[in-house]
Amino acid sequence: MTIALRRVTADDWATWRPVRLAALTDAPEAFGSRLADWQDAPEDRWRGRLSLPGAVDLLAIEHGRSPEQAPRRAPDSDPAPGRPVGMAAGVPSADDPAVAELISMWVAPEVRGRGVARRLIDAVARAMAEHGAARLELSVLPDNHRARRTYERAGFTLTDTPGDELPDGRHELVMVRGLAAERTLLAYERGADRYAERTDDHRAGLVDDLLALVPAGSHVLELGSGPGRDADALEAAGLRVDRTDGAAAFVDRLRAAGHDARLLDVRDDDGPRDAGGCPTPWGGPYDAVFANAVLLHVDRDDTGPVLDRARRAVRPGGVLAATVKRGDGDGWSDRKLDDPRWFTYWTEDALAAVVTAAGWRGVTVRETTRPGADERWLTVTAHRPEED
């Protein structure tokens, strides 16, 4: 069975209605609306709800149900269109264009734990970033611990701002997720061709670093392949490279050039699991993970988990080779793309500490700034312990 997301509009009100009613029936305390308020609502009210300015309303559709689950259909009828099993919506704030709210979030009990909520949340986050929002907020009941854990895994953190007051005098909890990563990916989506034109043909020095650490024939996962320059150099040196990128525009370019490439968001922790029950969303095991100028777009608090996923993607003894920008703090820059991208800067000690804490060993961090460059760079190499 597969799950697909579908954006709905006012014309889809009859499809959206039963999902909304199922949510209000299953978790009446989790929503501001009540089942009684909507059960007999006329069509124009449903259409109005799906016509909020700037909003995005999504349904999660399950396809490929087993014969026992699928409803009986006439032999000459059209294939089953799929069954809605979840929903979510994003609504821009009327008071602050930098803020959007995640509302109407619900996943059917029978498909919980399969990553449906995360896919819905991430899709809303991307849509709200495209709308111009810088952060996504939500409200959750204080004793809804399962929902809080889901939101925390999806990048939300608890704020000190009290939410709406509840009948018992308590307040809803307000959580927030920054959209810097989504806005950065959006910049790459819009500027993929410009980025390729402004990227020189000289392979990165990180290519030579990796070639010194692995033998010919090694299988490498490249994060952030972009135009594909470094992957070409690695393959020319006798390595096998799996090209990935978080921007669909780069993946499309790579495929058009005849390469196998797949979309991979380094923050993604949903996917198959290994024998120990740990998620392995990146596939593998690989001999190395190669990340040239990729981790610098990851929020500081997310860098440790990303490095942990990289470690799980390589075999014991496998290698990490990555570069980041040297400096303090973080911030936006419109260099090269003329479109703001978010950067996290690292010092040698801080970078070594976060890589080591993620379980890597033999960590080496050194400055690799080219002479005359106006930006400073760090290169880190490490290996997964043989006994890991």
Side-chain angles (χ1 to χ4, degrees), residues 16-229:
W16 192 75
R17 178 182 182 274
V19 188
R20 176 65 168 168
L21 295 180
L24 294 174
T25 301
D26 174 63
E29 73 289 343
F31 300 96
S33 301
R34 297 180 303 169
L35 179 63
D37 298 332
W38 284 93
Q39 201 159 23
D40 298 316
E43 177 181 337
D44 62 340
R45 189 179 176 196
W46 288 103
R47 284 180 171 274
R49 167 58 187 82
L50 293 174
S51 301
L52 300 176
V56 57
D57 292 281
L58 300 173
L59 287 178
I61 310 295
E62 181 187 48
H63 295 278
R65 301 169 67 191
S66 66
E68 295 77 14
Q69 293 174 310
R72 297 187 177 217
R73 305 176 64 85
D76 57 349
S77 64
D78 293 334
R83 178 177 67 111
V85 292
M87 65 177 185
V91 181
S93 169
D95 302 320
D96 187 348
V99 178
E101 186 177 5
L102 175 69
I103 64 172
S104 302
M105 179 75 216
W106 179 77
V107 173
E110 63 270 25
V111 296
R112 289 173 187 166
R114 290 173 48 188
V116 178
R118 179 61 184 269
R119 290 188 59 190
L120 284 165
I121 292 169
D122 287 348
V124 168
R126 287 191 295 271
M128 292 298 96
E130 290 177 6
H131 195 272
R135 63 183 186 275
L136 185 64
E137 296 182 352
L138 63 84
S139 298
V140 62
L141 293 175
D143 53 1
N144 193 343
H145 303 298
R146 180 181 182 127
R148 283 185 59 183
R149 288 194 298 270
T150 297
Y151 294 136
E152 287 168 353
R153 288 195 297 269
F156 286 88
T157 56
L158 190 63
T159 72
D160 296 329
T161 304
D164 292 340
E165 186 174 0
L166 300 170
D168 60 6
R170 297 181 302 163
H171 288 263
E172 291 182 320
L173 303 178
V174 176
M175 305 183 74
V176 63
R177 166 174 162 172
L179 300 181
E182 284 73 24
R183 295 173 69 187
T184 298
L185 280 174
L186 182 60
Y188 280 117
E189 297 285 9
R190 291 187 294 229
D193 291 339
R194 185 183 310 118
Y195 185 90
E197 292 169 0
R198 296 180 179 181
T199 300
D200 62 48
D201 295 332
H202 301 294
R203 72 189 196 187
L206 191 65
V207 169
D208 297 305
D209 292 318
L210 182 62
L211 294 177
L213 295 170
V214 298
S218 293
H219 195 186
V220 179
L221 171 65
E222 183 184 31
L223 305 178
S225 295
R229 175 197 65 181

